[in-house]
Every structure is written in C-alpha cells, then in structure tokens.
Amino acid sequence: MNGPRWLIRSALFPALCAFVLVGPAFGAEAPPPDSPPQAVEQDEPEGSPIDDEAMSVLLRMADTLAQTQRFTVTIRASYDVVQDTGEKITFSERRAVTLNRPDGLRVEAQESDGKRSLVTFDGKAISVLNVDENVYGQIDRSGTIDDAVRYLVQDLRVRLPLALLLVSTLPDELEQRLQSLDYVERDMLTAVPTDHLAGRTEDVDFQIWIATEGPPLPQRVTITYKADEGEPQYRADFSEWNLNPDVQPVQLAFHPPDGAERIPVMVRVRRTAAGSSEGAPK
C-alpha cells in the first residue's frame, strides 16, 4: 500500500446531526416552509403504484407519531460513506431521543468511534454540545419542534435522515412525497411481528418495518440515496419505545457543563432578491 489510506466520514453526519435523525426521511429532508399539503388524487387508475394496504399501514404509523405528545426511543443506526476510491465504509451510531411537544427535544448520541454529543431544543434555542471536547454552540430559535426541524434543514443545511418522524405534519408530508409504495410481507423475524413496506420518492428508495402488535411504531428503516454517488444507505433500528414517558421541561433545558467553552455557529448566508444578506455567525 502506497502511503496511508484515510477513511473519510462524510460531512453528512457532523456533530450537529446529533439532532437525530440526522438525510432525508423517506425522500424529503424536512417539511417545506409554510406550504399547504397537496391533495392526494382519489381516483387512482388500475395498477396504481401506491398499494392501498401498504398506505393504510404507513398512515396509521404516521398518525400515531404525529399525534403523540411525547415519546422516548433508542435508535441504533449505521450509514455508508463512499470513499474517493468508490469503496463504501460503514459507520454506526446510537441515539437516545426524547420528544415533548410542542417545543421540547433532547438527543444524546454516541458514534462508533466513541465520540459523544448532545442536542437540545427548548422552544427558545437549539444547543449542540461536543461532550468529549467540552465545547458547545447555541442558536437562538423560538418556535415548535416543527419550526426547529425546518430551520436546521433549510437554513443550516443539516441533513436529517429521519427528520419527518419528528414533525406533527408527518401524514401529509408522506402523502406529498410518495411516488410508489408496496406491501412486501409480514415479517416474523423482527423483534415483534412487523409489516414490511417498500417505497420510493424522487430522491430515495426506502423500506420500513412497522409493528403489527400494539401501537404501529417503526421498528426498522432502510434508506437508499439513489441520487448520491455510490447510492449509500442509512439503516436504523428502533427500540425501547415509550409513548407516555414522564418528561419535565427542565429535563430538556440545556445547561453547559462546568468549564464548557461556547463557540460560534456558522449559518449559511442567503442572498435576497434585493441583494441583501440573511444569516450570519451566531
């Protein structure tokens, strides 16, 4: 081997991606800003690419997550990073997610190399802590979890693979983006029996396994980024779902550890039609 080969971990998953779910979920990175849901065609022709049974299962899952006021879940994920040589290297991560609508979110993350991070949103600010280096960034941003997701994706350009699972508009967002959806099988080898679905959007192919017993919650997701070089995949397994945890707002507030250094967060500057700039370092 001539010289060292460096494994490049894509910028797709920087510390800010600890926000969770952290690429687009089912082909969309986040809800568009203030855009009304598009009507779904009711009179579908024979041979429609949307299978009725699969759509019913998917929407039951979407409605459950969108209407749940609070939940906790553990996500164990892996993702491909395509090297300059074309080789795919797989990295992994574990995230503990706590959501409390309308404006509370906490994500504790650990990557496969041991690096730890924390992301919180309390309705007033988004805070990101690098635990190992004891540094943090903070962006003032008031609003709901939906608002925070839109801001991270559209303004900060952070890709969030499972971001749509966090927003209250999930059912409408899925209906807008789906190009095809099929029912694959009843999978009896998952932790609980699941309905296995496969779908496509403009940007990704995805598969999702949804529990058939108890609440219809996602148990596994696979996303293939078909427009990206090498068609990398993101894979996630969900466990320890709790739809009624005892969550207090104080638990979601961000308190910097002793000695933590605050560092600036760079926000992408957008040019308006008049030529003025929007956005700046925070």
Side-chain angles (χ1 to χ4, degrees), residues 57 60 183 185-188 190 192-196 209-217 219:
V57 171
R60 282 200 302 272
Y183 188 95
E185 64 177 358
R186 173 69 58 85
D187 191 334
M188 305 302 293
T190 42
V192 297
T194 55
D195 289 320
H196 178 189
W209 288 256
I210 298 171
T212 62
E213 299 177 354
L217 297 170
Q219 303 297 306

Side-chain angles (χ1 to χ4, degrees), residues 35-52:
S35 62
Q38 300 297 314
V40 177
E41 185 65 43
Q42 298 298 317
D43 297 325
E44 296 177 339
E46 185 177 354
S48 168
I50 304 293
D51 178 83
D52 290 340

Side-chain angles (χ1 to χ4, degrees), residues 31-243:
D34 305 322
S35 62
Q38 300 297 314
V40 177
E41 185 65 43
Q42 298 298 317
D43 297 325
E44 296 177 339
E46 185 177 354
S48 168
I50 304 293
D51 178 83
D52 290 340
E53 180 182 6
M55 193 63 178
S56 177
V57 171
L58 187 65
L59 289 181
R60 282 200 302 272
M61 181 275 295
D63 286 335
T64 298
L65 287 180
Q67 295 171 18
T68 296
Q69 293 303 298
R70 63 186 65 87
F71 67 72
T72 58
V73 65
T74 298
I75 302 171
R76 290 175 172 82
S78 64
Y79 54 92
D80 298 332
V81 176
V82 181
Q83 307 297 298
D84 292 339
T85 61
E87 181 181 9
K88 294 179 184 177
I89 303 296
T90 299
F91 297 95
S92 59
E93 58 193 1
R94 181 180 64 221
R95 305 190 186 279
V97 180
T98 301
L99 178 145
N100 188 35
R101 300 192 198 280
D103 55 10
L105 184 67
R106 180 183 179 93
V107 182
E108 300 172 74
Q110 183 172 17
E111 299 180 25
S112 49
D113 61 1
K115 293 178 181 177
R116 296 169 297 159
S117 59
L118 169 68
V119 176
T120 66
F121 175 66
D122 60 4
K124 299 177 181 178
I126 300 169
S127 305
V128 182
L129 171 69
N130 182 319
V131 176
D132 302 285
E133 297 185 16
N134 205 24
V135 297
Y136 70 98
Q138 197 166 57
I139 301 173
D140 293 334
R141 194 69 185 179
S142 61
T144 65
I145 293 172
D146 290 12
D147 297 328
V149 169
R150 289 187 178 96
Y151 178 69
L152 282 167
V153 172
Q154 294 164 359
D155 293 317
L156 299 189
R157 302 299 182 185
V158 176
R159 299 185 69 182
L160 311 171
L162 304 177
L164 288 186
L165 299 185
L166 299 175
V167 300
S168 61
T169 55
L170 176 59
D172 292 331
E173 305 298 342
L174 290 178
E175 288 186 316
Q176 288 183 58
R177 290 161 171 77
L178 281 173
Q179 294 182 341
S180 68
L181 184 69
D182 292 304
Y183 188 95
V184 178
E185 64 177 358
R186 173 69 58 85
D187 191 334
M188 305 302 293
L189 298 182
T190 42
V192 297
T194 55
D195 289 320
H196 178 189
L197 315 180
R200 310 194 83 178
T201 72
E202 182 178 355
D203 300 314
V204 306
D205 293 344
F206 71 90
Q207 298 178 70
I208 185 168
W209 288 256
I210 298 171
T212 62
E213 299 177 354
L217 297 170
Q219 303 297 306
R220 178 182 299 164
V221 168
T222 298
I223 302 172
T224 302
Y225 296 93
K226 57 188 179 183
D228 290 358
E229 184 176 357
E231 297 191 353
Q233 281 193 337
Y234 175 91
R235 299 162 289 273
D237 289 296
F238 302 79
S239 63
E240 302 171 351
W241 278 106
N242 184 345
L243 300 187

